[in-house]
Amino acid sequence: MLKLALIIGSTRPQRFADTPANWIVEGAAARDDFSLEVLDLRDQNLPFFEEPMSPLFTGGAFSHPAAEAWRHKLAKYDGFIVTAAEYNHGPTAALKNAFDSAFNEWRRKPVAFVGYGGVGGARAIEQLRGTAIELHMAPIKAEVNISMEPFLGILMQGKKLDDYDYLVASRGTLFDEIAWWANALKAAREA
């Protein structure tokens, strides 16, 4: 069975990220083709990238113990789903830093995004796709975009993500696609 990680990409005290993260976990519980483990960036204690040289020149090793622990944790997963808050048309600094705090462990693995914000986190996701490609990851096309209407519906009207059929359908497509890509890339890595 595939092992996927859900990375919660916001560390703010009053973050919205827990809402989509819990919803992704609930949806993944019905799947029998992968297991999903949550990696909350709040719990990783990652310093901002401060390596004396690029991990490209160190074989992927990091000098900071928290970054070393992070990269070793990532190594066991076959793919990643990431919640991406959009701040000022981009991803959170904590999330970008988490991508920068590993190297080889991302390589040849798929990544999918669940974005939220004014345009469903699309601008943050677009920047993260470029980062993922540079890390030799395979960002999949399918994504979930929680735009302002459901965002406000949840915060102000007591709605739930399941109240939006198009989001539920997007989540299902994301799960199908990441499982397909994770299987294909795992087989290729093992070959």
Side-chain angles (χ1 to χ4, degrees), residues 35-186:
S35 64
L36 186 68
E37 183 176 328
V38 175
L39 299 178
D40 191 335
L41 291 184
R42 282 182 178 167
D43 303 330
Q44 305 311 314
N45 199 29
L46 289 170
F48 279 109
F49 186 83
E50 59 185 11
E51 294 299 310
M53 64 179 51
S54 168
L56 177 67
F57 302 111
T58 64
F62 283 72
S63 62
H64 197 285
E68 272 294 285
W70 173 244
R71 77 178 190 92
H72 287 290
K73 191 176 291 185
L74 296 175
K76 67 181 179 179
Y77 297 106
D78 300 307
F80 306 93
I81 300 171
V82 175
T83 66
E86 185 172 308
Y87 298 169
N88 301 314
H89 291 207
T92 65
L95 181 54
K96 174 60 168 76
N97 187 62
F99 275 96
D100 292 341
S101 296
F103 190 67
N104 294 324
E105 296 73 23
W106 300 117
R107 192 173 183 87
R108 297 181 177 140
K109 295 178 183 178
V111 61
F113 297 99
V114 178
Y116 57 92
V119 293
R123 294 172 292 219
I125 291 170
E126 189 61 29
Q127 290 181 32
L128 292 166
R129 287 181 187 284
T131 299
I133 289 167
E134 183 64 21
L135 290 167
H136 295 267
M137 298 179 82
I140 66 169
K141 180 179 179 179
E143 63 189 42
V144 176
N145 303 101
I146 304 165
S147 61
M148 197 54 67
E149 195 272 321
F151 181 83
L152 292 176
I154 291 163
L155 292 179
M156 301 174 75
Q157 299 168 1
K159 292 191 176 188
K160 299 193 178 323
L161 290 170
D162 282 334
D163 293 333
Y164 300 90
D165 291 341
Y166 69 95
L167 292 176
V168 174
S170 294
R171 179 182 64 182
T173 301
L174 182 147
F175 286 159
D176 291 344
E177 289 295 309
I178 197 154
W180 190 94
W181 280 100
N183 274 311
L185 291 171
K186 182 178 182 178

